[in-house]
Amino acid sequence: MSLKEKLQALEELWDDLSHSPEAVAVPEWHKSELDAREQKVAEGQAEFEDWVTIKRKLRNRTQ
């Protein structure tokens, strides 16, 4: 498969999966992490950074 065909297949698979998210099992550790993050937001303790800053930090980390 070409890259274009692979991306098209991936897009079609994702579109199909997104129509029934309840069919995709969420691991308990993932749910726990999301719950903890949601709690931080609710308590006003969450810290956020914009995408440009995050990309810069990631690039600097790999150099």
Side-chain angles (χ1 to χ4, degrees), residues 41-53:
V41 169
E43 294 171 353
Q45 297 176 0
E47 295 181 17
F48 300 94
E49 292 184 278
D50 63 86
W51 183 235
V52 173
T53 303

Side-chain angles (χ1 to χ4, degrees), residues 11-24:
E11 187 174 317
E12 289 175 19
L13 286 169
W14 186 253
D15 185 54
D16 182 61
L17 288 171
S18 69
H19 285 78
S20 55
E22 67 284 348
V24 179

Side-chain angles (χ1 to χ4, degrees), residues 2-56:
S2 70
L3 177 59
K4 184 177 180 179
E5 291 169 324
K6 289 176 184 178
L7 290 171
Q8 180 64 37
L10 183 62
E11 187 174 317
E12 289 175 19
L13 286 169
W14 186 253
D15 185 54
D16 182 61
L17 288 171
S18 69
H19 285 78
S20 55
E22 67 284 348
V24 179
V26 177
E28 189 55 41
W29 68 266
H30 195 194
K31 184 178 178 328
S32 295
E33 181 63 28
L34 291 173
D35 290 344
R37 291 180 184 197
E38 189 174 53
Q39 184 67 31
K40 279 187 173 185
V41 169
E43 294 171 353
Q45 297 176 0
E47 295 181 17
F48 300 94
E49 292 184 278
D50 63 86
W51 183 235
V52 173
T53 303
I54 297 299
K55 286 194 298 186
R56 184 176 63 247

